[in-house]
Amino acid sequence: MDNYIVSARKYRPTTFDDVVGQGAITSTLQKAIKNNHLAQALLFCGPRGVGKTTCARILAKAINQDTFEGELDPNEDFSFNIFELDAASNNSVDDIRNLIDQVRFSPQQGKFKVYIIDEVHMLSQAAFNAFLKTLEEPPAHAIFILATTEKHKIIPTILSRCQIFDFRRIMVSDMVSHLANIAKKEGVDAEEEALHVVAEKADGALRDALSIFDRLVTFSGNTVTYQDAIENLNILDYDYYFRATDLTLQGDIAGSMLLFNEVLERGFNGHEFINGLASHFRNLLMCKDASTVQLLEVSEKIQQKYLEQAQRCAPLNLLKGLRIMNECDVQYKSSKNQRLTVELALMKMCALHKVPEGAAPAAPEKKKSLAEATPKVETPALEQTPSEPIALSVQDYTPVIKVETPQSEVSNEIPREEDDVADTASAEEQKEEVNSAEIAQVSKTISLKSRRRIRGTGVRISEAHLPVEEEIVNPEDLPKDGFTESEMQKIWNDRVNLLFRGKPSILSSLTKNPPKLKEDHTIELELDGAHQLEQLQETRSVLVEAIRKDLNNFSIQLETPVKEVIVHKKAYTPKEVYHQLVQENPNLELLREQLGLDLDF
């Protein structure tokens, strides 16, 4: 029985033309070899499994050929001139010193000795420093190829000495084509949808894609189907997202809940589902424009399904759905009831399309002529009686322009609290407020009876614009209960600590000196300076109102005199300064005696 070789090793590229998805880099390297413009220090960086080490090995073989025309000569072997070092396990300064000692010797065969250092970011700081001089001025026969997945971990002095090549993630279409060629060579009948699933699961890494492909072949034999792929790789089928979108378009909340429960029973969590549905909505949005359809990295069969479903989706509702799912994604990890978080998101999306019971579906919008689209203003016909004059005010109510719209054009959407900018393009654009100058001649009051008359005139008055009749209270009638200074000080301290708990500077100003009770229910708070007075001015009214309510006395006034600070300017000698410090802290003298210190003054 022959030893099994995985596809990643069996089909590893041996020439630049075999490298998948890195055409710009392989073309640059080939031209550099032909024109003798190859740098002596190269850095290959990029994600895993995209061909960094493979290109380094191909380059190492190609530069030693006498005449390189893009193809490697299989009969020539330059393995004596190629040295590979895994920096993950050989990352000490001694390993780099051994490498530097080897660099001094010329190659036994060929022109160059090539040193490939993989995972170079794992080298220690000392190893990087020991490598700097050799990397900056290498011998003429030495070429260094460094490879890494984390360029940001390499020190800048190393980066500045290298010619950097950034390898990109391999596109899904390139991986699908490469996997199809390998399947053909291996005699495996693989569906295109299955290969797309493998490529998407690999996330741009061809080596991962080949490993997944080998696993699928082991699972399903020589016939790899789409169902085998999603079952073996534990991937949620596209069909679930298409069904979830159809239920959303129908406003079917019950169906959406049942579908989500089915997804959970299959072993998937809500986070995967909501993120997958968000990607599905994004793909539908891309299908709304012919120029962006190419951004869908799916098979042609799935792409056609996207195009069909996109015809039934409004772009605005897709954007709203994406926003709802984005909020769900952010809240999911911190939520204590994660299932409910996803279910609420599904309910919100269903509400975007749900039609009220008994209401006819909204008719398609028709273009109107300029005359039809012009709003008509109806002036309220007010009934007046000699004994009951009616006067209207701009502050009391705002007349609204009433637009005559055919019954077939009335929208049946459920009112929602959506603050999307695009929402203003619907019915709100048909409402205009009448210029206040046109009703300036109307006076300032309106009685409840006059409001009833206005309701029959066709003018719609929102509750927010109706006046609130406030009772006018005489200040002399407010309570003025008596209180003592101790009661006032207790209420003062409790209220100040409650109101200004998070403002230590104001709290300190209000509690440093106790307030005193003067005549006529006047509270006097002495402040230390103008800065405290400025701080108090911002919250003075709030504090006084709270004290009045707590003491049930609305005649309380607050006076805040500021102390006069008298500054005595005097020149103190060192001896006077010391004695003053001792008076404030007698332990200072005790410390001097214990340390045996003498005073120099």
Side-chain angles (χ1 to χ4, degrees):
M1 180 178 178
D2 296 335
N3 291 332
Y4 173 71
I5 301 177
V6 296
S7 298
R9 289 181 55 198
K10 185 175 181 180
Y11 294 100
R12 189 165 196 156
T14 56
T15 66
F16 284 121
D17 293 335
D18 295 337
V19 177
V20 178
Q22 307 295 346
I25 292 177
T26 56
S27 177
T28 302
L29 293 175
Q30 290 181 41
K31 291 178 181 178
I33 297 172
K34 290 179 183 179
N35 300 328
N36 197 24
H37 285 172
L38 190 66
Q40 286 191 270
L42 307 173
L43 175 63
F44 292 172
C45 52
R48 69 184 190 281
V50 295
K52 299 184 298 296
T53 305
T54 297
C55 285
R57 291 177 180 176
I58 296 173
L59 178 63
K61 294 178 182 179
I63 59 179
N64 277 310
Q65 286 191 184
D66 293 331
T67 56
F68 176 73
E69 298 296 336
E71 293 290 337
L72 293 176
D73 188 353
N75 296 322
E76 294 189 57
D77 184 14
F78 299 100
S79 57
F80 289 107
N81 295 343
I82 301 174
F83 303 89
E84 286 195 35
L85 176 69
D86 180 19
S89 55
N90 302 281
N91 56 3
S92 68
V93 65
D94 292 334
D95 295 319
I96 294 299
R97 285 173 180 165
N98 293 334
L99 179 67
I100 294 172
D101 292 338
Q102 297 177 16
V103 170
R104 300 174 184 173
F105 302 103
S106 300
Q108 298 177 357
Q109 183 182 5
K111 301 178 183 178
F112 301 99
K113 293 176 74 174
V114 183
Y115 296 87
I116 302 174
I117 305 178
D118 206 0
E119 303 297 336
V120 69
H121 66 274
M122 299 291 287
L123 290 177
S124 65
Q125 183 71 29
F128 273 129
N129 293 334
F131 194 34
L132 282 176
K133 188 62 177 177
T134 303
L135 196 64
E136 183 175 11
E137 298 178 357
H141 59 268
I143 291 180
F144 295 97
I145 304 176
L146 315 180
T148 179
T149 56
E150 302 183 51
K151 183 174 69 172
H152 61 279
K153 291 187 178 180
I154 301 176
I155 60 176
T157 47
I158 293 289
L159 294 176
S160 63
R161 288 165 169 79
C162 297
Q163 192 173 87
I164 301 174
F165 291 85
D166 288 304
F167 284 68
R168 65 176 186 177
R169 293 180 182 274
I170 299 175
M171 297 178 62
V172 172
S173 57
D174 292 336
M175 280 196 283
V176 170
S177 177
H178 187 65
L179 290 172
N181 290 334
I182 292 178
K184 186 177 180 180
K185 293 177 181 178
E186 293 291 325
V188 176
D189 183 15
E191 293 182 359
E192 184 182 2
E193 288 81 4
L195 297 181
H196 268 279
V197 170
V198 173
E200 290 174 17
K201 184 74 173 179
D203 193 24
L206 185 57
R207 183 171 60 234
D208 291 357
L210 291 171
S211 299
I212 295 171
F213 177 76
D214 288 345
R215 195 171 91 191
L216 281 180
V217 172
T218 304
F219 173 75
S220 55
N222 292 332
T223 302
V224 178
T225 64
Y226 173 73
Q227 289 299 327
D228 291 339
I230 62 174
E231 182 179 350
N232 185 258
L233 302 179
N234 196 32
I235 296 175
L236 197 57
D237 190 0
Y238 283 117
D239 184 55
Y240 281 97
Y241 300 126
F242 282 107
R243 286 166 57 193
T245 305
D246 286 337
L247 293 170
T248 299
L249 293 174
Q250 298 166 13
D252 188 352
I253 294 178
S256 298
M257 297 300 101
L258 292 173
L259 178 65
F260 180 51
N261 184 68
E262 184 180 342
V263 170
L264 295 178
E265 288 180 347
R266 289 199 57 191
F268 298 95
N269 62 50
H271 207 194
E272 292 174 341
F273 174 72
I274 205 69
N275 284 333
L277 188 57
S279 299
H280 185 82
F281 270 47
R282 175 261 181 193
N283 290 343
L284 290 173
L285 199 58
M286 295 302 103
C287 290
K288 301 300 289 185
D289 193 318
S291 60
T292 55
V293 174
Q294 58 183 343
L295 299 179
L296 271 66
E297 295 182 335
V298 295
S299 64
E300 292 184 3
K301 182 179 178 181
I302 301 296
Q303 186 180 103
Q304 190 60 37
K305 292 182 68 175
Y306 271 114
L307 289 170
E308 292 175 359
Q309 192 174 66
Q311 300 300 320
R312 307 194 303 272
C313 301
L316 179 59
N317 286 336
L318 288 175
L319 287 172
K320 291 178 183 177
L322 284 170
R323 185 176 64 183
I324 292 170
M325 286 184 282
N326 182 59
E327 292 173 355
C328 178
D329 180 32
V330 172
Q331 299 169 1
Y332 187 86
K333 290 184 178 179
S334 60
S335 175
K336 293 184 179 180
N337 192 340
Q338 295 177 335
R339 174 169 182 163
L340 180 60
T341 302
V342 178
E343 288 176 342
L344 284 174
L346 293 173
M347 292 177 191
K348 289 179 183 178
M349 289 189 291
C350 287
L352 296 176
H353 305 85
K354 191 173 179 63
V355 179
E357 294 183 5
E365 184 179 354
K366 299 178 181 179
K367 293 184 179 179
K368 302 178 182 179
S369 65
L370 181 59
E372 292 174 340
T374 304
K376 299 178 181 180
V377 181
E378 292 188 4
T379 305
L382 303 179
E383 300 178 11
Q384 296 191 7
T385 62
S387 61
E388 200 170 289
I390 300 173
L392 302 179
S393 168
V394 177
Q395 289 82 2
D396 294 330
Y397 83 103
T398 303
V400 180
I401 295 175
K402 183 178 180 183
V403 181
E404 293 182 357
T405 307
Q407 183 64 28
S408 60
E409 298 182 17
V410 177
S411 174
N412 293 304
E413 288 188 349
I414 293 178
R416 301 179 301 276
E417 293 183 1
E418 296 288 344
D419 55 349
D420 206 306
V421 176
D423 289 354
T424 60
S426 60
E428 292 297 329
E429 290 183 350
Q430 299 176 5
K431 297 178 183 177
E432 302 274 346
E433 290 189 356
V434 176
N435 192 322
S436 60
E438 297 179 5
I439 55 173
Q441 71 277 10
V442 189
S443 60
K444 297 183 177 179
T445 59
I446 180 172
S447 67
L448 292 174
K449 291 183 179 180
S450 62
R451 289 185 215 165
R452 297 192 190 101
R453 297 189 187 102
I454 292 173
R455 288 188 184 122
T457 62
V459 177
R460 296 186 290 118
I461 305 174
S462 68
E463 292 297 327
H465 295 102
L466 290 177
V468 178
E469 297 183 359
E470 297 183 358
E471 183 182 358
I472 300 175
V473 181
N474 188 348
E476 297 298 329
D477 298 335
L478 294 173
K480 300 176 184 178
D481 294 355
F483 56 90
T484 63
E485 186 175 72
S486 60
E487 291 175 344
M488 178 271 295
Q489 290 178 351
K490 183 179 182 304
I491 292 293
W492 176 277
N493 291 330
D494 292 344
R495 179 56 64 179
V496 164
N497 286 315
L498 181 63
L499 289 176
F500 309 108
R501 184 181 303 167
K503 300 179 180 179
S505 59
I506 300 178
L507 185 62
S508 175
S509 301
L510 296 177
T511 55
K512 184 175 182 181
N513 300 319
K516 298 178 181 178
L517 182 60
K518 299 295 183 180
E519 296 179 355
D520 299 329
H521 302 139
T522 300
I523 300 175
E524 182 182 89
L525 178 68
E526 193 175 30
L527 301 177
D528 292 338
H531 66 285
Q532 290 187 352
L533 183 60
E534 291 177 3
Q535 290 178 336
L536 180 59
Q537 291 300 341
E538 301 176 0
T539 55
R540 185 189 190 102
S541 60
V542 177
L543 177 61
V544 172
E545 189 65 25
I547 296 295
R548 286 174 177 173
K549 291 180 179 179
D550 291 343
L551 293 173
N552 199 29
N553 189 319
F554 288 83
S555 64
I556 293 176
Q557 301 296 326
L558 177 64
E559 293 182 354
T560 52
V562 180
K563 284 183 181 179
E564 292 185 6
V565 180
I566 301 174
V567 180
H568 298 280
K569 295 184 178 180
K570 178 183 176 181
Y572 291 94
T573 63
K575 185 175 182 180
E576 291 174 333
V577 172
Y578 177 73
H579 286 303
Q580 180 66 29
L581 292 174
V582 171
Q583 288 180 1
E584 295 178 0
N585 189 355
N587 291 328
L588 185 62
E589 179 66 19
L590 180 62
L591 178 64
R592 184 188 70 79
E593 292 175 356
Q594 290 178 350
L595 297 178
L597 302 176
D598 295 328
L599 298 176
D600 187 13
F601 51 73

mmCIF file of all heavy atoms in Angstrom, residues 233-259:
data_model
loop_
_atom_site.group_PDB
_atom_site.id
_atom_site.type_symbol
_atom_site.label_atom_id
_atom_site.label_comp_id
_atom_site.label_asym_id
_atom_site.label_seq_id
_atom_site.Cartn_x
_atom_site.Cartn_y
_atom_site.Cartn_z
ATOM 1 N N LEU A 233 -19.047 19.939 6.404
ATOM 2 C CA LEU A 233 -18.348 21.142 6.877
ATOM 3 C C LEU A 233 -19.167 21.919 7.891
ATOM 4 O O LEU A 233 -18.725 22.983 8.342
ATOM 5 C CB LEU A 233 -18.004 22.045 5.680
ATOM 6 C CG LEU A 233 -17.136 21.408 4.594
ATOM 7 C CD1 LEU A 233 -16.882 22.392 3.471
ATOM 8 C CD2 LEU A 233 -15.818 20.933 5.187
ATOM 9 N N ASN A 234 -20.364 21.413 8.224
ATOM 10 C CA ASN A 234 -21.228 22.069 9.206
ATOM 11 C C ASN A 234 -21.519 23.517 8.810
ATOM 12 O O ASN A 234 -21.301 24.467 9.574
ATOM 13 C CB ASN A 234 -20.598 22.024 10.600
ATOM 14 C CG ASN A 234 -21.603 22.329 11.692
ATOM 15 O OD1 ASN A 234 -22.785 22.015 11.558
ATOM 16 N ND2 ASN A 234 -21.152 22.946 12.772
ATOM 17 N N ILE A 235 -22.008 23.687 7.597
ATOM 18 C CA ILE A 235 -22.323 25.016 7.056
ATOM 19 C C ILE A 235 -23.834 25.098 6.860
ATOM 20 O O ILE A 235 -24.463 24.142 6.403
ATOM 21 C CB ILE A 235 -21.593 25.250 5.719
ATOM 22 C CG1 ILE A 235 -20.083 25.265 5.946
ATOM 23 C CG2 ILE A 235 -22.046 26.548 5.059
ATOM 24 C CD1 ILE A 235 -19.276 25.359 4.661
ATOM 25 N N LEU A 236 -24.394 26.228 7.185
ATOM 26 C CA LEU A 236 -25.827 26.434 7.014
ATOM 27 C C LEU A 236 -26.140 26.634 5.533
ATOM 28 O O LEU A 236 -25.510 27.444 4.858
ATOM 29 C CB LEU A 236 -26.283 27.657 7.820
ATOM 30 C CG LEU A 236 -27.783 27.788 8.091
ATOM 31 C CD1 LEU A 236 -28.300 26.557 8.820
ATOM 32 C CD2 LEU A 236 -28.065 29.036 8.921
ATOM 33 N N ASP A 237 -27.123 25.901 5.065
ATOM 34 C CA ASP A 237 -27.474 25.915 3.644
ATOM 35 C C ASP A 237 -27.975 27.299 3.221
ATOM 36 O O ASP A 237 -28.624 28.016 3.980
ATOM 37 C CB ASP A 237 -28.560 24.858 3.401
ATOM 38 C CG ASP A 237 -28.811 24.622 1.921
ATOM 39 O OD1 ASP A 237 -28.152 25.275 1.103
ATOM 40 O OD2 ASP A 237 -29.669 23.783 1.604
ATOM 41 N N TYR A 238 -27.661 27.678 1.952
ATOM 42 C CA TYR A 238 -28.198 28.920 1.384
ATOM 43 C C TYR A 238 -29.726 28.947 1.462
ATOM 44 O O TYR A 238 -30.333 30.005 1.610
ATOM 45 C CB TYR A 238 -27.797 29.043 -0.091
ATOM 46 C CG TYR A 238 -26.372 29.457 -0.326
ATOM 47 C CD1 TYR A 238 -25.489 28.612 -0.983
ATOM 48 C CD2 TYR A 238 -25.905 30.704 0.071
ATOM 49 C CE1 TYR A 238 -24.179 28.980 -1.220
ATOM 50 C CE2 TYR A 238 -24.601 31.083 -0.157
ATOM 51 C CZ TYR A 238 -23.737 30.217 -0.803
ATOM 52 O OH TYR A 238 -22.441 30.599 -1.036
ATOM 53 N N ASP A 239 -30.335 27.770 1.360
ATOM 54 C CA ASP A 239 -31.789 27.702 1.304
ATOM 55 C C ASP A 239 -32.436 28.308 2.550
ATOM 56 O O ASP A 239 -33.514 28.896 2.484
ATOM 57 C CB ASP A 239 -32.220 26.235 1.152
ATOM 58 C CG ASP A 239 -33.723 26.086 0.999
ATOM 59 O OD1 ASP A 239 -34.281 26.720 0.081
ATOM 60 O OD2 ASP A 239 -34.334 25.351 1.800
ATOM 61 N N TYR A 240 -31.773 28.181 3.706
ATOM 62 C CA TYR A 240 -32.330 28.758 4.932
ATOM 63 C C TYR A 240 -32.412 30.284 4.837
ATOM 64 O O TYR A 240 -33.370 30.897 5.304
ATOM 65 C CB TYR A 240 -31.481 28.350 6.138
ATOM 66 C CG TYR A 240 -31.770 26.948 6.620
ATOM 67 C CD1 TYR A 240 -30.973 25.878 6.222
ATOM 68 C CD2 TYR A 240 -32.841 26.690 7.465
ATOM 69 C CE1 TYR A 240 -31.229 24.586 6.655
ATOM 70 C CE2 TYR A 240 -33.110 25.402 7.910
ATOM 71 C CZ TYR A 240 -32.303 24.354 7.499
ATOM 72 O OH TYR A 240 -32.574 23.066 7.921
ATOM 73 N N TYR A 241 -31.400 30.876 4.244
ATOM 74 C CA TYR A 241 -31.402 32.335 4.129
ATOM 75 C C TYR A 241 -32.433 32.805 3.107
ATOM 76 O O TYR A 241 -33.075 33.846 3.310
ATOM 77 C CB TYR A 241 -30.001 32.825 3.745
ATOM 78 C CG TYR A 241 -28.941 32.448 4.749
ATOM 79 C CD1 TYR A 241 -27.785 31.772 4.369
ATOM 80 C CD2 TYR A 241 -29.105 32.758 6.096
ATOM 81 C CE1 TYR A 241 -26.818 31.432 5.292
ATOM 82 C CE2 TYR A 241 -28.143 32.410 7.030
ATOM 83 C CZ TYR A 241 -26.998 31.752 6.619
ATOM 84 O OH TYR A 241 -26.042 31.400 7.546
ATOM 85 N N PHE A 242 -32.590 32.059 2.021
ATOM 86 C CA PHE A 242 -33.629 32.416 1.046
ATOM 87 C C PHE A 242 -35.026 32.282 1.677
ATOM 88 O O PHE A 242 -35.892 33.134 1.476
ATOM 89 C CB PHE A 242 -33.525 31.527 -0.196
ATOM 90 C CG PHE A 242 -32.417 31.932 -1.137
ATOM 91 C CD1 PHE A 242 -31.261 31.176 -1.247
ATOM 92 C CD2 PHE A 242 -32.526 33.076 -1.908
ATOM 93 C CE1 PHE A 242 -30.237 31.533 -2.103
ATOM 94 C CE2 PHE A 242 -31.508 33.450 -2.777
ATOM 95 C CZ PHE A 242 -30.368 32.680 -2.866
ATOM 96 N N ARG A 243 -35.215 31.219 2.459
ATOM 97 C CA ARG A 243 -36.512 31.048 3.111
ATOM 98 C C ARG A 243 -36.768 32.128 4.157
ATOM 99 O O ARG A 243 -37.879 32.658 4.264
ATOM 100 C CB ARG A 243 -36.569 29.657 3.766
ATOM 101 C CG ARG A 243 -36.735 28.506 2.770
ATOM 102 C CD ARG A 243 -36.436 27.176 3.437
ATOM 103 N NE ARG A 243 -37.284 26.959 4.609
ATOM 104 C CZ ARG A 243 -37.055 26.004 5.516
ATOM 105 N NH1 ARG A 243 -36.006 25.188 5.356
ATOM 106 N NH2 ARG A 243 -37.852 25.866 6.554
ATOM 107 N N ALA A 244 -35.733 32.462 4.925
ATOM 108 C CA ALA A 244 -35.881 33.504 5.945
ATOM 109 C C ALA A 244 -36.230 34.843 5.307
ATOM 110 O O ALA A 244 -37.063 35.605 5.823
ATOM 111 C CB ALA A 244 -34.596 33.632 6.761
ATOM 112 N N THR A 245 -35.619 35.132 4.157
ATOM 113 C CA THR A 245 -35.925 36.388 3.463
ATOM 114 C C THR A 245 -37.353 36.385 2.926
ATOM 115 O O THR A 245 -38.056 37.399 3.005
ATOM 116 C CB THR A 245 -34.922 36.598 2.313
ATOM 117 O OG1 THR A 245 -33.589 36.548 2.839
ATOM 118 C CG2 THR A 245 -35.142 37.952 1.642
ATOM 119 N N ASP A 246 -37.791 35.253 2.376
ATOM 120 C CA ASP A 246 -39.182 35.173 1.880
ATOM 121 C C ASP A 246 -40.182 35.399 3.015
ATOM 122 O O ASP A 246 -41.180 36.101 2.853
ATOM 123 C CB ASP A 246 -39.428 33.802 1.234
ATOM 124 C CG ASP A 246 -38.746 33.688 -0.124
ATOM 125 O OD1 ASP A 246 -38.480 34.740 -0.744
ATOM 126 O OD2 ASP A 246 -38.465 32.548 -0.555
ATOM 127 N N LEU A 247 -39.916 34.804 4.176
ATOM 128 C CA LEU A 247 -40.811 34.991 5.320
ATOM 129 C C LEU A 247 -40.811 36.440 5.790
ATOM 130 O O LEU A 247 -41.845 36.984 6.203
ATOM 131 C CB LEU A 247 -40.397 34.062 6.467
ATOM 132 C CG LEU A 247 -40.587 32.565 6.212
ATOM 133 C CD1 LEU A 247 -39.923 31.736 7.305
ATOM 134 C CD2 LEU A 247 -42.079 32.221 6.141
ATOM 135 N N THR A 248 -39.647 37.083 5.711
ATOM 136 C CA THR A 248 -39.556 38.497 6.087
ATOM 137 C C THR A 248 -40.366 39.355 5.126
ATOM 138 O O THR A 248 -41.082 40.275 5.540
ATOM 139 C CB THR A 248 -38.092 38.949 6.097
ATOM 140 O OG1 THR A 248 -37.360 38.172 7.060
ATOM 141 C CG2 THR A 248 -37.965 40.415 6.456
ATOM 142 N N LEU A 249 -40.267 39.064 3.842
ATOM 143 C CA LEU A 249 -41.019 39.831 2.845
ATOM 144 C C LEU A 249 -42.530 39.661 3.033
ATOM 145 O O LEU A 249 -43.305 40.573 2.725
ATOM 146 C CB LEU A 249 -40.613 39.396 1.437
ATOM 147 C CG LEU A 249 -39.177 39.736 1.004
ATOM 148 C CD1 LEU A 249 -38.868 39.123 -0.349
ATOM 149 C CD2 LEU A 249 -38.961 41.236 0.970
ATOM 150 N N GLN A 250 -42.936 38.502 3.525
ATOM 151 C CA GLN A 250 -44.355 38.261 3.766
ATOM 152 C C GLN A 250 -44.823 38.805 5.110
ATOM 153 O O GLN A 250 -46.015 38.788 5.409
ATOM 154 C CB GLN A 250 -44.640 36.754 3.713
ATOM 155 C CG GLN A 250 -44.342 36.121 2.365
ATOM 156 C CD GLN A 250 -44.309 34.602 2.430
ATOM 157 O OE1 GLN A 250 -44.735 34.017 3.420
ATOM 158 N NE2 GLN A 250 -43.796 33.973 1.383
ATOM 159 N N GLY A 251 -43.880 39.277 5.942
ATOM 160 C CA GLY A 251 -44.230 39.740 7.283
ATOM 161 C C GLY A 251 -44.674 38.612 8.188
ATOM 162 O O GLY A 251 -45.429 38.825 9.138
ATOM 163 N N ASP A 252 -44.199 37.391 7.906
ATOM 164 C CA ASP A 252 -44.639 36.204 8.639
ATOM 165 C C ASP A 252 -43.742 36.003 9.865
ATOM 166 O O ASP A 252 -42.679 35.367 9.782
ATOM 167 C CB ASP A 252 -44.578 34.986 7.722
ATOM 168 C CG ASP A 252 -45.203 33.737 8.351
ATOM 169 O OD1 ASP A 252 -45.538 33.788 9.551
ATOM 170 O OD2 ASP A 252 -45.344 32.725 7.638
ATOM 171 N N ILE A 253 -44.159 36.542 10.995
ATOM 172 C CA ILE A 253 -43.351 36.435 12.208
ATOM 173 C C ILE A 253 -43.332 34.998 12.719
ATOM 174 O O ILE A 253 -42.274 34.482 13.107
ATOM 175 C CB ILE A 253 -43.896 37.390 13.286
ATOM 176 C CG1 ILE A 253 -43.718 38.846 12.842
ATOM 177 C CG2 ILE A 253 -43.199 37.166 14.624
ATOM 178 C CD1 ILE A 253 -44.270 39.856 13.811
ATOM 179 N N ALA A 254 -44.486 34.331 12.702
ATOM 180 C CA ALA A 254 -44.549 32.946 13.197
ATOM 181 C C ALA A 254 -43.650 32.029 12.388
ATOM 182 O O ALA A 254 -42.912 31.204 12.937
ATOM 183 C CB ALA A 254 -45.994 32.459 13.154
ATOM 184 N N GLY A 255 -43.693 32.168 11.055
ATOM 185 C CA GLY A 255 -42.840 31.340 10.203
ATOM 186 C C GLY A 255 -41.368 31.596 10.458
ATOM 187 O O GLY A 255 -40.540 30.671 10.448
ATOM 188 N N SER A 256 -41.002 32.849 10.701
ATOM 189 C CA SER A 256 -39.607 33.183 10.981
ATOM 190 C C SER A 256 -39.136 32.558 12.281
ATOM 191 O O SER A 256 -38.005 32.066 12.378
ATOM 192 C CB SER A 256 -39.427 34.702 11.037
ATOM 193 O OG SER A 256 -39.751 35.292 9.802
ATOM 194 N N MET A 257 -39.998 32.564 13.299
ATOM 195 C CA MET A 257 -39.635 31.948 14.582
ATOM 196 C C MET A 257 -39.429 30.437 14.422
ATOM 197 O O MET A 257 -38.499 29.859 15.002
ATOM 198 C CB MET A 257 -40.727 32.223 15.618
ATOM 199 C CG MET A 257 -40.947 33.691 15.957
ATOM 200 S SD MET A 257 -39.500 34.527 16.628
ATOM 201 C CE MET A 257 -38.921 35.406 15.151
ATOM 202 N N LEU A 258 -40.300 29.800 13.649
ATOM 203 C CA LEU A 258 -40.171 28.354 13.434
ATOM 204 C C LEU A 258 -38.907 28.023 12.653
ATOM 205 O O LEU A 258 -38.216 27.039 12.945
ATOM 206 C CB LEU A 258 -41.407 27.825 12.698
ATOM 207 C CG LEU A 258 -42.724 27.854 13.485
ATOM 208 C CD1 LEU A 258 -43.887 27.466 12.585
ATOM 209 C CD2 LEU A 258 -42.645 26.927 14.699
ATOM 210 N N LEU A 259 -38.585 28.852 11.655
ATOM 211 C CA LEU A 259 -37.369 28.619 10.871
ATOM 212 C C LEU A 259 -36.126 28.779 11.744
ATOM 213 O O LEU A 259 -35.188 27.974 11.667
ATOM 214 C CB LEU A 259 -37.321 29.597 9.695
ATOM 215 C CG LEU A 259 -36.066 29.507 8.809
ATOM 216 C CD1 LEU A 259 -36.016 28.155 8.103
ATOM 217 C CD2 LEU A 259 -36.041 30.631 7.779
#
